[in-house]
Amino acid sequence: MPDASSSPDLPDSSAAVKPASKWKIAFGPGVVITPLYPGSRELRVFPYPALDISYDDRVFSQGPDVLGLNVIRSENYHVGASLSFDFQSRQEKDDPHLHGLGNVDGGPKLKLFADYTVWAFTGSVALYQDIAGHGQGKTVVTDLYASLPAGGWLFSVGPGFTWADALYTRTFFGVSSQQSAASGLPAYNTGAGIRDVHLNGYVSYDFSKHWVGSVAVTLGRLQHFAAASPITERRSELNTLASLNYRF
């Protein structure tokens, strides 16, 4: 019997391919463009540390989701929760139009989410609950989008809408009698309902093995209580997150 170690048909164990790491790590600079406050005609731009970190598709930190967990996951679906930071806020100093309305601070929210992908189509739903006590209540965002990879490019686009509870709409779009007296705006009562309808767009490009750039854009249109509020100066909304990440 020939010596197996000398057989040319057997692979060299020293050259065996190492299993792929369960870690995926990428980070870099990012920039956020968002309304100065909900219903504002002005935009604000600020830098943002763009993170895209995950372990075994189970634990992750991505975008505004500071720390998340896919409780149930497979190649086609995810169900889980995360601690998410919401940049929505409103300060009286932002605009003379806001004097007398009081400030609304941004802060952390609990996010519960689920998504499912069939071929090139993905449906998702996410519930956001204010856990900082800033009067932002809860919102539910539902989206459907189609994705197309092309070389180093990835394109995604699709519609969605946001539902908001009565506390959220009262905080951002309602005007109480006290606020009316202080601001000069007419009193305005709100309730739960559709906050906006929107169109999502996303594009990313792999410049190299390590560098990837991406831009996510959401164009929205305020509806119902949000649209008719005396606080609202513009019904259209633009939200953008652009980043350039280095992948390890």
Side-chain angles (χ1 to χ4, degrees), residues 112-125:
L112 305 177
F113 63 86
D115 62 69
Y116 191 85
T117 299
V118 177
W119 190 50
F121 301 95
T122 299
S124 67
V125 60

Side-chain angles (χ1 to χ4, degrees), residues 38-39 168-169 172-174 188-191 193-197 220-237:
Y168 174 94
T169 58
F172 278 113
F173 300 105
Y188 182 71
N189 295 320
T190 66
I194 300 299
R195 178 199 183 276
D196 66 76
V197 295
R221 183 77 170 169
L222 296 178
Q223 305 292 313
H224 201 27
F225 293 115
S229 170
I231 297 173
T232 298
E233 295 185 308
R234 175 177 291 174
R235 289 186 61 185
S236 59
E237 288 190 323

Side-chain angles (χ1 to χ4, degrees), residues 1-14:
M1 177 179 291
D3 181 1
S5 63
S6 64
S7 171
D9 296 328
L10 295 177
D12 183 356
S13 61
S14 64

Side-chain angles (χ1 to χ4, degrees), residues 145-156:
Y145 54 92
S147 299
L148 174 66
W153 294 89
L154 174 63
F155 302 92
S156 297

